[in-house]
């Protein structure tokens, strides 16, 4: 223990001194623990800031049947009261309810230590429907190589109501004869989050494994300066409804890196959402990098809760495998999502059960109103760069009839369209964009699997109601070799350039132009000799919309 304690002391940076009974303690202590702090709970000793507090010295046995909630709480109170340090959890099994982190406390979970979620409702505090909780705390951390297990349980039963987000997909599944039962969280189990961190500053989550969360695994509400490094998060990919990985809610200055996250619901998701009577704060200054992600919904997600702006976000250098969707933006509550970059991603998707959001696509951006009375938001200044995507569904980027998406840039993207591994077929085009003003596409290629095709496959690229656009160095043919769909479908597009693009072997019609509003389209230096037809028109007179330079 001496070596371990010395190592922990060297790692600990919590040095701010608190006075017992001071203002910060008054705000942070669990009400039932405040009296214990004044009365010096069992195991309490006067120690200098930075000391180590072993939960076993406060009564934890490391035996799963023995409830360890009080010893954990007592150790944290003693630690923060003395000015901060490390609460250490040695190897063993511990059953706990809500454990509240307090100022300047690092909870270190050693290798071989597992915290199991208590199934006793009396072990949870009001506002702390979770295993690890913090409120108005600063300089807090959960570190180590141990495990936190939420013991999630599920029931497979008939569908309850209709999810409006997937109403179309539900009908496709029903028409295909798919079993319409699905998993729901068991009403018999404790359905809590694993982490809720509220209004806290300088939170570190490092090294631990967090598995089987009944609800969102890590929920960050209105936090500032959060660092998540080297964690492993897992929930059952078939059953784990609502078991997101990390939810960044109305928080800022958050970095997530070097982590492996495998979850049924969104792996990493950004939301701006109010709590109680409080309005939502913006989400800003977020980086996610060097992660390996799997999701039965979306691996990298923004929305749907978008009550305040979300801006300055960087998703980069991530491997996305076995996911129902690679990345997405869904704005429904009036906010503006802007200055977002998705870069250096390798993506492989796989269709999931009908109840999950996603069609096995590379991406989905959508702007809409949650309700008719909802404010209409914006999506603008978005970059997708350097992506390799092996997918089975149609990627869509869709604005609203009253508000197009603005300044969307897609560059150096390779899309490989594979057949759907499901009976309820959904895929049509490879990439469909509708309602966009200011679109720049450069170095986009689409390749379709030839040995097994889907009857509904259509165009490689579809543009509808798009203005001020450039498509440069595009390559791709229609989905089916002898199919009637064009390689590129344009409908009511204007002020655009198609340049330096290539019609591969077996291309039928390269461009089909429709829509009486189409105008001012320039074709320049394209290599179309392998296409059976360079361009066709849906209406007479559309030839005037085309200019060859």
């Amino acid at each position: 223990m001496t070596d371990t304690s010395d190592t922990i002391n060297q790692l600990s940076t919590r040095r701010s001194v608190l006075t017992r009974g001071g203002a910060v303690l008054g705000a942070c202590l669990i009400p039932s623990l405040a009296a214990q702090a004044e009365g010096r709970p069992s195991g309490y000793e006067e120690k200098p800031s930075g000391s180590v507090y072993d939960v076993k010295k406060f009564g934890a046995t490391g035996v799963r049947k023995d409830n360890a909630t009080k010893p954990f709480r007592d150790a944290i109170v003693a630690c923060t009261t003395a000015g901060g340090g490390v609460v250490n959890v040695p190897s063993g099994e511990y059953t706990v309810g809500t454990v509240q982190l307090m100022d300047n406390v690092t909870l270190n979970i050693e290798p071989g230590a597992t915290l199991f979620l208590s199934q006793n409702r009396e072990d949870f505090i009001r506002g702390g429907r979770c295993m690890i909780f913090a409120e108005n705390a600063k300089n807090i951390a959960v570190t180590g190589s141990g495990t936190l297990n939420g013991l999630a349980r599920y029931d497979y039963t008939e569908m309850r109501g209709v999810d409006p987000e997937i109403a179309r997909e539900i009908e496709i599944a029903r028409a295909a004869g798919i079993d319409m039962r699905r998993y729901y969280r068991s009403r018999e189990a404790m359905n809590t989050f694993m982490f809720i961190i509220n209004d806290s500053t300088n939170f570190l989550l490092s090294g631990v494994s967090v598995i089987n969360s009944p609800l969102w695994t890590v929920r960050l509400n209105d936090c500032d300066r959060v660092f998540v490094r080297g964690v492993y998060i897992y929930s059952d990919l078939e059953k784990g409804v609502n078991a997101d990985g990390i939810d960044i809610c109305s928080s800022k200055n958050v970095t997530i890196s070097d982590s492996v996250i495998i979850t049924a619901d969104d792996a990493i998701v950004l939301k701006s959402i109010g709590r109680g009577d409080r309005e939502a704060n913006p989400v800003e200054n977020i980086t996610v990098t060097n992660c390996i992600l799997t999701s039965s919904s979306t691996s990298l997600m923004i929305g749907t809760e978008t009550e305040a702006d979300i801006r300055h976000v960087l998703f980069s250098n991530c491997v996305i495998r076995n996911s129902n969707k690679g990345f997405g933006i869904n704005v429904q509550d009036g906010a503006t999502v802007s200055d977002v970059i998705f870069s250096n991603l390798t993506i492989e998707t796989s269709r999931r059960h009908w109840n999950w959001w996603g069609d096995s696509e590379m991406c989905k951006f959508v702007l809409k109103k949650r309700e008719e009375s909802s404010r209409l938001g914006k999506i603008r200044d978005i970059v997708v760069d350097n992506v390799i995507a092996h997918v089975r569904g149609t990627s869509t980027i869709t604005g609203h009839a009253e508000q197009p998406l603005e300044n969307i840039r897609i560059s150096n993207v390779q899309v490989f369209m594979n057949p759907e591994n499901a009976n309820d077929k959904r895929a049509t085009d490879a990439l469909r964009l509708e309602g966009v003003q200011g679109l720049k596409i450069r170095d986009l290629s689409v390749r379709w699997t030839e040995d097994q095709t889907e009857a509904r496959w259509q165009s490689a690229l579809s543009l509808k109601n798009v203005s001020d656009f450039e498509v440069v160095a595009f390559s791709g043919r229609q989905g089916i070799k002898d199919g009637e769909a064009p390689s590129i479908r344009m409908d009511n597009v204007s002020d655009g350039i198609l340049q330096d693009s290539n019609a591969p072997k077996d291309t039928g019609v390269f461009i089909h132009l429709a829509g009486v509003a189409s105008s001012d389209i320039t074709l320049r230096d394209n290599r179309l000799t392998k296409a059976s037809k360079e361009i066709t028109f849906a209406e007479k007179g559309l030839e005037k919309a085309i200019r060859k330079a």
Side-chain angles (χ1 to χ4, degrees):
M1 288 302 296
T2 301
D3 292 342
T4 301
S5 299
D6 290 343
T7 300
I8 295 169
N9 279 326
Q10 292 170 10
L11 292 173
S12 177
T13 59
R14 275 59 180 158
R15 293 293 183 268
S16 299
V17 178
L18 300 177
T19 58
R20 198 155 90 245
V24 175
L25 279 176
C28 293
L29 287 178
I30 300 170
S32 62
L33 298 182
Q36 294 178 7
E38 292 300 319
R40 298 190 178 188
S42 174
Y44 176 90
E45 300 176 40
E46 290 287 355
K47 294 188 178 183
S49 173
S51 291
V52 176
Y53 298 77
D54 191 317
V55 295
K56 287 192 172 181
K57 293 183 178 179
F58 288 78
T61 65
V63 177
R64 183 175 174 181
K65 68 178 181 61
D66 297 331
N67 193 305
T69 305
K70 185 176 185 301
F72 272 68
R73 292 176 178 177
D74 287 350
I76 289 172
V77 168
C79 182
T80 192
T81 301
V86 176
V87 171
N88 194 53
V89 183
S91 177
E93 296 185 337
Y94 305 84
T95 293
V96 295
T98 301
V99 175
Q100 183 168 357
L101 299 176
M102 301 178 186
D103 286 13
N104 308 311
V105 171
T106 292
L107 179 66
N108 185 73
I109 306 171
E110 289 190 359
T114 300
L115 278 58
F116 292 96
L117 187 71
S118 171
Q119 301 300 297
N120 184 352
R121 298 185 184 278
E122 295 181 358
D123 289 331
F124 297 87
I125 66 170
R126 188 176 64 181
R129 189 184 169 194
C130 57
M131 178 182 283
I132 306 296
F133 180 64
E135 184 129 49
N136 297 312
K138 64 177 182 290
N139 307 328
I140 55 176
V142 176
T143 64
S145 300
T147 300
L148 296 83
N149 190 334
L151 301 174
R153 289 156 51 191
Y154 306 95
D155 297 323
Y156 192 61
T157 186
E158 297 297 329
M159 180 177 63
R160 302 168 187 165
V162 175
D163 184 342
E165 285 292 318
I166 56 170
R168 169 182 167 271
E169 288 78 3
I170 289 172
E171 291 310 311
I172 291 174
R174 183 178 283 115
I178 302 297
D179 182 354
M180 299 309 293
R181 291 178 297 172
R182 50 160 291 184
Y183 283 100
Y184 293 91
R185 296 189 310 277
S186 172
R187 292 168 176 170
E188 304 299 321
M190 282 300 302
N191 288 308
T192 73
F193 304 85
M194 293 300 285
F195 284 75
I196 296 179
I197 310 298
N198 292 336
D199 302 288
S200 295
T201 301
N202 196 20
F203 169 54
L204 169 66
L205 178 61
S206 176
V208 297
S209 297
V210 192
I211 65 175
N212 302 327
S213 179
L215 285 169
W216 301 352
T217 304
V218 179
R219 178 168 184 165
L220 307 168
N221 294 320
D222 300 283
C223 292
D224 184 11
R225 292 162 49 202
V226 175
F227 308 91
V228 179
R229 297 198 296 261
V231 302
Y232 173 71
I233 296 175
Y234 172 83
S235 64
D236 189 289
L237 289 175
E238 184 180 10
K239 303 175 183 178
V241 292
N242 304 120
D244 297 0
I246 301 174
D247 289 66
I248 302 169
C249 303
S250 296
S251 295
K252 61 185 179 181
N253 303 321
V254 179
T255 297
I256 301 172
S257 68
D258 310 302
S259 297
V260 177
I261 302 176
I262 301 171
T263 55
D265 232 311
D266 298 333
I268 298 173
V269 55
L270 282 54
K271 303 173 182 284
S272 51
I273 183 170
R275 291 185 291 134
D277 296 332
R278 297 174 47 170
E279 292 186 359
N281 285 317
V283 176
E284 55 190 348
N285 309 336
I286 311 296
T287 66
V288 177
T289 189
N290 299 343
C291 292
I292 300 171
L293 308 171
T294 294
S295 171
S296 292
S297 190
T298 308
S299 286
L300 296 169
M301 183 65 188
I302 297 176
T304 65
E305 294 85 349
T306 43
E307 298 171 14
D309 293 348
I310 299 176
R311 58 201 176 212
H312 300 293
V313 178
L314 176 60
F315 297 112
S316 68
N317 303 334
C318 290
V319 172
I320 297 172
R321 299 289 303 278
N322 190 25
S323 288
N324 202 22
K325 186 192 305 164
F327 55 92
I329 301 174
N330 190 327
V331 175
Q332 300 193 16
D333 303 307
T336 295
V337 171
S338 66
D339 304 287
V340 179
I341 297 177
F342 300 91
S343 70
N344 298 341
L345 306 177
T346 175
I347 299 171
E348 178 187 83
T349 65
S350 180
R351 277 283 308 278
R352 291 298 201 276
H353 190 265
W354 62 263
N355 66 282
W356 296 109
W357 294 9
D359 293 338
S360 193
E361 67 265 60
M362 175 182 71
C363 67
K364 181 177 182 179
F365 301 165
V366 60
L367 174 64
K368 57 185 178 180
K369 295 182 179 182
R370 189 176 299 277
E371 299 175 356
E372 189 62 33
S373 59
S374 298
R375 293 184 300 126
L376 180 60
K378 294 182 179 181
I379 298 175
R380 67 186 185 202
D381 306 332
I382 310 296
V383 171
V384 177
D385 176 61
N386 204 24
V387 176
I388 299 175
H390 295 263
V391 303
R392 302 176 188 274
T394 299
S395 297
T396 55
I397 296 176
T398 310
H400 190 274
E402 301 173 18
Q403 177 62 58
L405 309 190
E406 303 172 85
N407 190 24
I408 308 298
R409 294 178 177 249
I410 300 170
S411 62
N412 194 22
V413 173
Q414 301 177 61
V415 177
F416 298 85
M417 288 292 289
N418 297 314
E420 297 176 81
N421 55 328
N423 292 329
D424 47 333
K425 307 298 184 181
R426 304 175 187 173
T428 54
D429 303 319
L431 180 60
R432 184 188 307 138
L433 298 98
E434 180 174 353
V436 180
Q437 181 177 7
L439 171 67
K440 304 292 186 290
I441 296 177
R442 295 179 182 270
D443 295 306
L444 168 66
S445 69
V446 175
R447 299 178 185 177
W448 306 81
T449 299
E450 296 186 11
D451 57 352
Q452 183 180 348
T453 62
E454 297 289 358
R456 299 182 63 201
W457 278 354
Q458 297 183 34
S459 298
L461 178 63
S462 176
L463 307 179
K464 184 175 182 180
N465 299 331
V466 174
S467 63
D468 182 18
F469 68 93
E470 294 180 9
V471 178
V472 178
F474 165 81
S475 177
R477 63 164 173 81
Q478 71 281 1
I480 300 174
K481 282 185 180 181
D482 57 354
E484 296 182 358
S487 175
I488 301 176
R489 179 185 294 106
M490 298 184 182
D491 187 354
N492 284 327
V493 299
S494 62
D495 190 17
I497 297 174
L498 177 65
Q499 178 177 334
D500 296 325
S501 294
N502 178 54
K505 180 183 176 182
D506 299 316
T507 298
V509 175
F510 189 65
I511 303 168
H512 180 71
L513 182 64
V516 294
S518 292
S519 63
D520 299 319
I521 302 163
T522 299
L523 306 183
R524 178 184 297 140
D525 298 328
N526 298 297
R527 297 173 299 281
L528 306 180
T529 57
K530 294 180 181 179
S532 61
K533 289 185 179 180
E534 178 178 333
I535 186 168
T536 60
F537 302 93
E539 294 98 3
K540 291 182 179 181
L542 281 179
E543 295 88 346
K544 297 178 181 179
I546 297 292
R547 183 173 71 91
K548 294 184 178 180

